[in-house]
Amino acid sequence: MDDLTGRNFFPNGKKIEIPNTTIKKIANAPFYKPIAKEVEVFEHAYKNKLPILLKGPTGTGKTRFIEYIAYQLEKKLITISCHEETSSTDLIGRYIIKGAETIWIDGPLTKAVKEGAIIYLDEIAEARPDVIVAIHALTDHRRELFVDKLGKTIKAHQDFMLVASFNPGYQKGFKELKPSTRQRFIAISFQYPSPGIESEIIKNETGIEEAVAKKLVNIANKIRNLTELGLTETVSTRLLVDAAKLIHSGLPKRLSVKVAVVEPLTDDPEITNALADLCDLMI
């Protein structure tokens, strides 16, 4: 029920080809373990042409989820990693000088709108406010993009899909999405998976022994519960996968955990040492 393989989401029966180097081509099926009904929700959002907001902490599988979905739908995925300098011009396009000519170059959002790709705006709250303004008409019944510099309005291709991600915990009190923006999306919350599922993910990603995977998950859950440390971010599944890869390739377990899990979390020497000692006892 949670697998879209074999379903035809293309009314014209044709795959979408978008020749652009910014587009991620997924050669092999990415591993993704559904936790709840997120795949089913995406399927219905896609059918109803509704934009989706993926909410959750860093490393909980938001990006992997959209890669998995793009693979199952046989669609090209354009990923934009938003930051404080990301502007609407970066997404929509710009004029450039080529020889004696001034020519227009479509940005990744414009390409996706025209040709019907999934565009993924990762950490959308980091982008400049004009990005939010630019996507407004794409996130309601109009499904259109206004290109101010061309004076044109482009209707979105029927297969176009807008997906954005947002980390509420990290952004709280810093950069937040306005309620009016949030309500333009349906939203799926991502949290750290249960120990059994997280162990399975680590095993599938790295080939590590099950016993080691379980120990890594136990370490993660122990640190995640140490709220008194005041860590900005806690142990993500991604960090555990990194540690497992190092262990699988032959690096000692304790050193692997220290460099892949402990060191990325903090620069405070005392907290680093305390976490390293804790991890040494658990693996």
Side-chain angles (χ1 to χ4, degrees), residues 38-154:
E38 65 270 27
V39 176
E40 186 176 349
V41 169
F42 193 101
E43 173 191 351
H44 285 273
Y46 183 83
K47 287 179 179 178
N48 289 284
K49 297 178 171 50
L50 298 173
I52 290 184
L53 181 65
L54 309 180
K55 304 189 301 179
T58 299
T60 50
K62 298 187 295 295
T63 299
R64 175 57 62 88
F65 170 70
I66 196 62
E67 289 178 350
Y68 169 81
I69 288 291
Y71 179 88
Q72 298 293 350
L73 292 176
E74 296 184 294
K75 292 180 65 68
K76 293 298 194 301
L77 172 65
I78 303 176
T79 299
I80 306 297
S81 297
C82 299
H83 52 80
E84 60 186 10
E85 297 300 323
T86 302
S87 68
S88 60
T89 297
D90 296 325
L91 298 185
I92 295 174
R94 53 170 49 90
Y95 282 105
I96 65 168
I97 298 174
K98 188 175 182 179
E101 296 181 286
T102 300
I103 62 173
W104 172 262
I105 300 294
D106 283 340
L109 178 60
T110 305
K111 287 178 180 290
V113 167
K114 286 181 175 180
E115 303 185 46
I118 297 175
I119 188 159
Y120 177 48
L121 304 179
D122 189 19
E123 297 296 353
I124 190 173
E126 292 286 337
R128 285 166 41 173
D130 60 319
V131 169
I132 305 297
V133 173
I135 67 171
H136 267 191
L138 285 170
T139 55
D140 59 27
H141 66 281
R142 291 170 290 178
R143 281 175 55 86
E144 60 187 29
L145 175 67
F146 178 64
V147 183
D148 181 54
K149 292 179 181 178
L150 297 178
K152 291 173 56 179
T153 297
I154 304 170

Side-chain angles (χ1 to χ4, degrees), residues 160-221:
F160 170 75
M161 182 74 171
L162 175 62
V163 183
S165 73
F166 175 55
N167 183 345
Y170 174 70
Q171 303 294 349
K172 192 172 183 179
F174 179 55
K175 290 184 177 180
E176 298 187 26
L177 290 178
K178 294 180 180 179
S180 58
T181 300
R182 286 171 177 261
Q183 292 181 26
R184 291 177 173 272
F185 296 83
I186 67 168
I188 303 175
S189 290
F190 284 73
Q191 298 298 330
Y192 299 113
S194 65
I197 291 178
E198 195 162 28
S199 297
E200 183 179 349
I201 291 170
I202 295 168
K203 284 169 54 187
N204 276 277
E205 288 287 309
T206 67
I208 202 74
E209 297 88 347
E210 183 175 0
V212 178
K214 287 182 177 180
K215 287 181 179 179
L216 290 173
V217 171
N218 289 339
I219 287 172
N221 286 325

